[in-house]
Coordinates of all heavy atoms in Angstrom, one line a residue:
M119 N 16.9 16.9 11.0 CA 16.4 15.6 11.5 C 16.5 14.6 10.3 O 16.1 14.9 9.2 CB 15.0 15.8 12.0 CG 14.4 14.4 12.4 SD 12.7 14.5 12.7 CE 12.7 15.1 14.4
K120 N 17.0 13.5 10.6 CA 17.2 12.5 9.6 C 16.0 11.5 9.7 O 15.7 11.0 10.7 CB 18.5 11.7 9.8 CG 18.8 10.7 8.8 CD 20.1 10.0 9.1 CE 20.5 9.0 8.1 NZ 21.8 8.4 8.3
N121 N 15.3 11.3 8.5 CA 14.2 10.3 8.5 C 14.8 9.0 8.1 O 15.5 8.9 7.1 CB 13.2 10.8 7.4 CG 12.4 12.0 7.9 OD1 12.2 12.2 9.0 ND2 12.0 12.8 6.9
E122 N 14.5 8.0 8.8 CA 14.9 6.6 8.5 C 13.8 5.9 8.0 O 12.7 5.9 8.5 CB 15.5 6.0 9.8 CG 16.7 6.8 10.3 CD 17.8 5.9 10.9 OE1 17.7 4.7 10.8 OE2 18.7 6.5 11.4
I123 N 14.0 5.2 6.9 CA 13.0 4.3 6.3 C 13.5 2.9 6.2 O 14.6 2.6 5.9 CB 12.7 4.8 4.8 CG1 12.2 6.3 4.9 CG2 11.7 3.9 4.1 CD1 12.1 6.9 3.5
A124 N 12.6 2.0 6.6 CA 12.9 0.6 6.6 C 12.0 -0.1 5.5 O 10.8 0.2 5.5 CB 12.7 -0.1 7.9
I125 N 12.6 -0.9 4.6 CA 11.8 -1.6 3.6 C 11.9 -3.1 4.1 O 13.0 -3.6 4.3 CB 12.4 -1.5 2.2 CG1 12.7 0.0 1.8 CG2 11.6 -2.3 1.2 CD1 11.4 0.7 1.6
Q126 N 10.7 -3.6 4.3 CA 10.6 -5.0 4.8 C 9.6 -5.8 3.9 O 8.6 -5.3 3.5 CB 10.2 -5.1 6.2 CG 11.3 -4.4 7.1 CD 10.8 -4.5 8.6 OE1 9.7 -4.4 8.9 NE2 11.8 -4.7 9.5
Q127 N 9.9 -7.1 3.8 CA 9.0 -7.9 3.1 C 7.8 -8.3 4.1 O 8.1 -8.5 5.2 CB 9.6 -9.2 2.6 CG 8.7 -10.1 1.8 CD 9.4 -11.2 1.1 OE1 10.6 -11.5 1.3 NE2 8.6 -12.0 0.3
V128 N 6.6 -8.3 3.5 CA 5.4 -8.6 4.3 C 5.0 -10.0 4.0 O 4.9 -10.3 2.8 CB 4.3 -7.6 4.1 CG1 3.1 -7.9 4.9 CG2 4.7 -6.2 4.3
Y129 N 4.8 -10.8 5.0 CA 4.5 -12.3 4.7 C 3.0 -12.6 5.0 O 2.5 -13.5 4.4 CB 5.4 -13.2 5.6 CG 6.9 -13.1 5.2 CD1 7.7 -12.2 5.9 CD2 7.4 -13.8 4.2 CE1 9.1 -12.1 5.6 CE2 8.7 -13.7 3.8 CZ 9.5 -12.9 4.5 OH 10.9 -12.8 4.2
D130 N 2.4 -11.9 6.0 CA 1.1 -12.2 6.4 C 0.1 -11.7 5.3 O 0.1 -10.6 4.9 CB 0.8 -11.6 7.7 CG -0.6 -11.8 8.2 OD1 -0.9 -13.0 8.6 OD2 -1.5 -10.9 8.1
G131 N -0.8 -12.7 4.8 CA -1.7 -12.3 3.8 C -2.7 -11.2 4.2 O -3.1 -10.4 3.4
D132 N -3.2 -11.2 5.4 CA -4.1 -10.2 5.9 C -3.5 -8.8 5.9 O -4.1 -7.8 5.5 CB -4.7 -10.5 7.2 CG -5.6 -11.7 7.2 OD1 -6.2 -12.0 6.2 OD2 -5.8 -12.3 8.3
E133 N -2.2 -8.8 6.3 CA -1.5 -7.6 6.4 C -1.2 -7.0 5.0 O -1.3 -5.8 4.7 CB -0.2 -7.8 7.2 CG 0.6 -6.5 7.4 CD 1.9 -6.6 8.2 OE1 2.2 -7.8 8.6 OE2 2.5 -5.6 8.4
K134 N -0.8 -7.9 4.1 CA -0.7 -7.5 2.7 C -1.9 -6.9 2.1 O -1.9 -5.8 1.5 CB -0.3 -8.7 1.8 CG 1.1 -9.3 2.0 CD 1.2 -10.5 1.1 CE 2.4 -11.4 1.4 NZ 2.5 -12.5 0.5
A135 N -3.0 -7.6 2.3 CA -4.3 -7.1 1.8 C -4.6 -5.7 2.4 O -5.1 -4.8 1.7 CB -5.4 -8.1 2.1
Q136 N -4.4 -5.5 3.7 CA -4.7 -4.2 4.3 C -3.8 -3.1 3.7 O -4.2 -2.0 3.4 CB -4.5 -4.3 5.8 CG -4.8 -3.0 6.5 CD -6.3 -2.6 6.3 OE1 -7.2 -3.4 6.6 NE2 -6.6 -1.5 5.8
I137 N -2.5 -3.4 3.5 CA -1.6 -2.4 2.9 C -2.0 -2.0 1.5 O -2.1 -0.9 1.2 CB -0.1 -2.9 2.9 CG1 0.4 -3.0 4.4 CG2 0.8 -2.0 2.1 CD1 1.7 -3.8 4.5
V138 N -2.3 -3.0 0.7 CA -2.7 -2.8 -0.7 C -4.1 -2.0 -0.7 O -4.2 -1.1 -1.5 CB -2.8 -4.1 -1.4 CG1 -3.5 -3.9 -2.8 CG2 -1.4 -4.7 -1.6
S139 N -5.0 -2.4 0.2 CA -6.2 -1.7 0.3 C -6.0 -0.2 0.6 O -6.6 0.7 0.0 CB -7.1 -2.3 1.3 OG -8.3 -1.6 1.5
D140 N -5.2 0.1 1.6 CA -4.9 1.5 2.0 C -4.3 2.3 0.8 O -4.7 3.4 0.6 CB -3.9 1.5 3.2 CG -4.5 1.0 4.5 OD1 -5.7 0.9 4.5 OD2 -3.7 0.7 5.4
V141 N -3.3 1.7 0.1 CA -2.7 2.4 -1.0 C -3.7 2.6 -2.1 O -3.8 3.7 -2.7 CB -1.5 1.6 -1.5 CG1 -1.0 2.2 -2.8 CG2 -0.4 1.5 -0.5
L142 N -4.4 1.6 -2.5 CA -5.4 1.7 -3.6 C -6.5 2.7 -3.3 O -7.0 3.4 -4.2 CB -6.0 0.4 -4.1 CG -4.9 -0.7 -4.6 CD1 -5.7 -1.9 -5.0 CD2 -4.1 -0.1 -5.7
S143 N -6.9 2.7 -2.1 CA -8.0 3.7 -1.7 C -7.5 5.1 -1.8 O -8.3 6.0 -1.9 CB -8.6 3.3 -0.3 OG -7.7 3.6 0.7
D144 N -6.2 5.3 -1.6 CA -5.7 6.7 -1.8 C -5.5 7.1 -3.2 O -5.1 8.3 -3.5 CB -4.3 6.8 -1.0 CG -4.4 6.9 0.5 OD1 -5.5 7.2 1.0 OD2 -3.4 6.6 1.2
L145 N -5.7 6.2 -4.1 CA -5.5 6.5 -5.6 C -6.8 6.2 -6.4 O -6.7 5.4 -7.3 CB -4.3 5.7 -6.1 CG -3.0 5.9 -5.4 CD1 -2.0 4.9 -5.8 CD2 -2.5 7.3 -5.7
P146 N -7.9 6.8 -6.0 CA -9.2 6.5 -6.7 C -9.1 6.8 -8.2 O -9.9 6.2 -9.0 CB -10.2 7.3 -6.0 CG -9.5 8.4 -5.4 CD -8.1 7.9 -5.1
E147 N -8.3 7.8 -8.6 CA -8.3 8.1 -10.1 C -7.6 7.0 -10.9 O -7.9 6.8 -12.0 CB -7.5 9.4 -10.3 CG -8.0 10.7 -9.6 CD -7.6 10.8 -8.2 OE1 -6.6 10.2 -7.7 OE2 -8.2 11.5 -7.4
W148 N -6.8 6.2 -10.2 CA -6.1 5.1 -10.9 C -6.8 3.8 -10.7 O -6.8 2.9 -11.5 CB -4.7 5.0 -10.4 CG -3.8 6.2 -10.8 CD1 -4.1 7.3 -11.5 CD2 -2.4 6.3 -10.4 NE1 -3.0 8.1 -11.7 CE2 -2.0 7.6 -11.0 CE3 -1.5 5.6 -9.7 CZ2 -0.7 8.0 -10.8 CZ3 -0.2 6.1 -9.5 CH2 0.2 7.3 -10.1
F149 N -7.4 3.6 -9.5 CA -8.0 2.4 -9.1 C -9.4 2.6 -8.7 O -9.8 2.3 -7.6 CB -7.2 1.7 -8.0 CG -5.8 1.4 -8.4 CD1 -4.8 2.2 -8.0 CD2 -5.5 0.3 -9.1 CE1 -3.4 2.0 -8.4 CE2 -4.1 0.0 -9.5 CZ -3.1 0.9 -9.1
G150 N -10.2 3.1 -9.6 CA -11.6 3.5 -9.2 C -12.7 2.5 -9.6 O -13.8 2.8 -9.3
L151 N -12.3 1.4 -10.1 CA -13.3 0.4 -10.4 C -13.4 -0.6 -9.3 O -12.5 -1.4 -9.0 CB -12.9 -0.4 -11.7 CG -12.8 0.5 -13.0 CD1 -12.3 -0.3 -14.1 CD2 -14.2 1.1 -13.3
P152 N -14.5 -0.6 -8.5 CA -14.6 -1.4 -7.2 C -14.3 -2.9 -7.4 O -13.6 -3.5 -6.6 CB -16.0 -1.1 -6.8 CG -16.4 0.2 -7.3 CD -15.7 0.3 -8.7
D153 N -14.8 -3.5 -8.5 CA -14.6 -4.9 -8.7 C -13.2 -5.2 -8.9 O -12.6 -6.2 -8.4 CB -15.5 -5.4 -9.8 CG -17.0 -5.5 -9.4 OD1 -17.3 -5.4 -8.2 OD2 -17.8 -5.5 -10.4
S154 N -12.5 -4.4 -9.7 CA -11.1 -4.6 -10.0 C -10.3 -4.4 -8.8 O -9.3 -5.2 -8.5 CB -10.6 -3.7 -11.2 OG -11.3 -4.0 -12.4
T155 N -10.6 -3.3 -8.1 CA -9.8 -3.0 -6.9 C -9.9 -4.2 -5.9 O -8.9 -4.6 -5.3 CB -10.3 -1.7 -6.3 OG1 -10.2 -0.7 -7.2 CG2 -9.5 -1.3 -5.0
K156 N -11.1 -4.7 -5.7 CA -11.3 -5.8 -4.8 C -10.5 -7.0 -5.2 O -9.9 -7.7 -4.4 CB -12.8 -6.2 -4.7 CG -13.1 -7.2 -3.7 CD -14.6 -7.5 -3.6 CE -14.9 -8.6 -2.6 NZ -16.4 -8.9 -2.6
E157 N -10.4 -7.3 -6.5 CA -9.6 -8.4 -7.0 C -8.1 -8.2 -6.8 O -7.4 -9.1 -6.4 CB -9.9 -8.6 -8.5 CG -9.3 -9.8 -9.1 CD -9.7 -10.0 -10.5 OE1 -10.7 -9.6 -10.9 OE2 -8.9 -10.7 -11.2
Y158 N -7.7 -6.9 -7.0 CA -6.2 -6.6 -6.7 C -5.9 -6.9 -5.2 O -4.9 -7.4 -4.9 CB -5.9 -5.2 -7.0 CG -6.1 -4.7 -8.4 CD1 -6.5 -3.4 -8.7 CD2 -5.9 -5.6 -9.5 CE1 -6.7 -3.0 -10.0 CE2 -6.1 -5.2 -10.8 CZ -6.4 -3.9 -11.1 OH -6.6 -3.5 -12.4
I159 N -6.8 -6.5 -4.4 CA -6.6 -6.6 -2.9 C -6.5 -8.1 -2.6 O -5.6 -8.6 -1.9 CB -7.7 -5.9 -2.1 CG1 -7.5 -4.4 -2.3 CG2 -7.6 -6.2 -0.6 CD1 -8.7 -3.5 -1.8
E160 N -7.5 -8.9 -3.1 CA -7.5 -10.3 -2.8 C -6.2 -11.0 -3.4 O -5.6 -11.9 -2.7 CB -8.8 -11.0 -3.3 CG -10.0 -10.6 -2.5 CD -9.8 -11.0 -1.0 OE1 -9.4 -12.1 -0.7 OE2 -10.1 -10.1 -0.1
D161 N -5.9 -10.6 -4.6 CA -4.7 -11.3 -5.2 C -3.4 -10.9 -4.4 O -2.5 -11.8 -4.4 CB -4.5 -10.8 -6.6 CG -5.6 -11.3 -7.6 OD1 -6.3 -12.3 -7.2 OD2 -5.7 -10.8 -8.7
S162 N -3.4 -9.8 -3.8 CA -2.2 -9.4 -3.0 C -1.8 -10.4 -1.9 O -0.7 -10.5 -1.5 CB -2.3 -8.0 -2.5 OG -3.2 -8.0 -1.4
R163 N -2.8 -11.1 -1.4 CA -2.6 -12.0 -0.3 C -1.5 -13.1 -0.6 O -0.8 -13.6 0.2 CB -3.9 -12.7 0.1 CG -4.9 -11.8 0.7 CD -6.2 -12.5 1.0 NE -7.2 -11.6 1.5 CZ -7.3 -11.2 2.8 NH1 -6.5 -11.7 3.6 NH2 -8.2 -10.4 3.2
T164 N -1.4 -13.4 -1.9 CA -0.5 -14.5 -2.3 C 0.7 -14.1 -3.1 O 1.5 -14.9 -3.5 CB -1.3 -15.6 -3.2 OG1 -1.8 -14.9 -4.3 CG2 -2.4 -16.2 -2.4
L165 N 0.8 -12.8 -3.3 CA 2.0 -12.2 -4.1 C 3.0 -11.7 -3.1 O 2.8 -11.4 -1.9 CB 1.5 -11.1 -5.0 CG 0.4 -11.4 -6.0 CD1 -0.1 -10.2 -6.7 CD2 1.0 -12.4 -7.0
L166 N 4.2 -11.5 -3.6 CA 5.3 -10.9 -2.8 C 5.0 -9.4 -2.6 O 4.5 -8.8 -3.5 CB 6.7 -11.1 -3.6 CG 7.2 -12.5 -3.8 CD1 8.4 -12.5 -4.6 CD2 7.4 -13.2 -2.4
L167 N 5.3 -8.9 -1.4 CA 5.0 -7.5 -1.1 C 6.1 -7.0 -0.2 O 6.4 -7.7 0.8 CB 3.6 -7.4 -0.5 CG 3.2 -6.0 -0.2 CD1 2.8 -5.2 -1.4 CD2 2.1 -5.9 0.9
W168 N 6.6 -5.8 -0.5 CA 7.5 -5.1 0.4 C 6.8 -3.8 0.8 O 6.1 -3.2 0.0 CB 8.8 -4.8 -0.3 CG 9.7 -6.0 -0.4 CD1 10.7 -6.4 0.4 CD2 9.6 -7.0 -1.4 NE1 11.3 -7.6 0.0 CE2 10.6 -8.0 -1.1 CE3 8.8 -7.3 -2.5 CZ2 10.9 -9.1 -1.9 CZ3 9.1 -8.4 -3.3 CH2 10.1 -9.3 -3.0
A169 N 7.0 -3.4 2.0 CA 6.4 -2.1 2.5 C 7.5 -1.3 3.2 O 8.4 -1.8 3.8 CB 5.3 -2.5 3.5
A170 N 7.3 0.0 3.0 CA 8.2 1.0 3.7 C 7.6 1.4 5.0 O 6.4 1.7 5.1 CB 8.4 2.2 2.8
S171 N 8.4 1.5 6.0 CA 7.9 2.0 7.3 C 8.8 3.1 7.8 O 9.9 3.2 7.4 CB 7.8 0.9 8.4 OG 9.1 0.4 8.6
G172 N 8.3 4.0 8.7 CA 9.0 5.1 9.2 C 8.9 6.3 8.3 O 9.6 7.3 8.5
I173 N 7.9 6.3 7.4 CA 7.7 7.5 6.6 C 6.6 8.3 7.2 O 5.6 7.8 7.6 CB 7.2 7.0 5.2 CG1 8.3 6.1 4.5 CG2 6.9 8.2 4.3 CD1 7.9 5.5 3.2
R174 N 6.9 9.6 7.3 CA 5.9 10.5 7.7 C 4.9 10.8 6.6 O 5.3 10.9 5.5 CB 6.5 11.9 8.1 CG 7.4 11.8 9.4 CD 7.9 13.2 9.7 NE 8.7 13.7 8.6 CZ 8.6 15.0 8.2 NH1 7.8 15.8 8.8 NH2 9.3 15.4 7.2
K175 N 3.6 10.8 6.9 CA 2.6 11.1 5.9 C 2.8 12.6 5.5 O 2.8 13.5 6.3 CB 1.2 10.9 6.5 CG 0.1 10.9 5.4 CD -1.2 10.5 6.0 CE -2.2 10.5 4.9 NZ -3.5 9.9 5.3
I176 N 2.8 12.8 4.2 CA 2.9 14.1 3.6 C 1.6 14.6 3.1 O 0.9 13.9 2.4 CB 3.9 14.1 2.5 CG1 5.3 13.7 3.0 CG2 4.0 15.5 1.8 CD1 6.3 13.5 1.8
C177 N 1.2 15.7 3.6 CA -0.1 16.3 3.2 C 0.1 16.9 1.8 O 1.2 17.4 1.4 CB -0.6 17.4 4.1 SG -1.0 16.8 5.7
K178 N -0.9 16.9 1.0 CA -0.8 17.5 -0.4 C -0.4 19.0 -0.3 O 0.3 19.4 -1.2 CB -2.2 17.4 -1.1 CG -2.6 16.0 -1.5 CD -3.9 16.0 -2.2 CE -4.3 14.6 -2.5 NZ -5.5 14.5 -3.2
D179 N -0.7 19.7 0.8 CA -0.3 21.1 0.9 C 1.2 21.2 1.1 O 1.8 22.3 0.8 CB -1.0 21.7 2.2 CG -2.5 21.8 2.0 OD1 -3.0 21.7 0.9 OD2 -3.1 21.9 3.1
Q180 N 1.9 20.1 1.5 CA 3.3 20.2 1.7 C 4.1 19.9 0.4 O 5.3 20.1 0.4 CB 3.8 19.2 2.8 CG 3.2 19.6 4.1 CD 3.5 18.5 5.2 OE1 3.7 17.4 4.9 NE2 3.6 18.9 6.4
L181 N 3.5 19.4 -0.6 CA 4.1 19.1 -1.8 C 4.5 20.3 -2.6 O 3.9 21.3 -2.6 CB 3.3 18.1 -2.7 CG 3.1 16.8 -2.0 CD1 2.1 15.9 -2.9 CD2 4.4 16.0 -1.8

């Protein structure tokens, strides 16, 4: 089975913030300071962002 991945630029500020929030919350060892994390999320609304879609979520057990 072939996995297809699409990389697309995200333009909507709310969508950018949600994507960044999801990623940062999955990496608490790297982004564990709540005030800084909140600032990163808010800043993402005005920055360029690309996101990958069509990726199956991989469980840690599968790595």
Side-chain angles (χ1 to χ4, degrees):
M119 175 189 279
K120 185 176 180 180
N121 290 329
E122 299 214 7
I123 299 171
I125 307 292
Q126 296 180 326
Q127 188 171 0
V128 180
Y129 295 97
D130 180 73
D132 291 337
E133 186 177 1
K134 290 178 190 182
Q136 185 61 58
I137 292 167
V138 170
S139 177
D140 291 345
V141 171
L142 298 184
S143 68
D144 283 343
L145 300 168
E147 298 85 18
W148 294 357
F149 300 98
L151 300 174
D153 290 339
S154 296
T155 301
K156 184 177 179 181
E157 187 174 335
Y158 298 148
I159 293 166
E160 286 305 312
D161 288 349
S162 73
R163 294 175 182 278
T164 60
L165 299 172
L166 296 175
L167 182 77
W168 284 263
S171 61
I173 300 174
R174 292 182 302 138
K175 188 171 184 174
I176 299 174
C177 295
K178 290 182 181 178
D179 295 341
Q180 295 175 331
L181 296 176

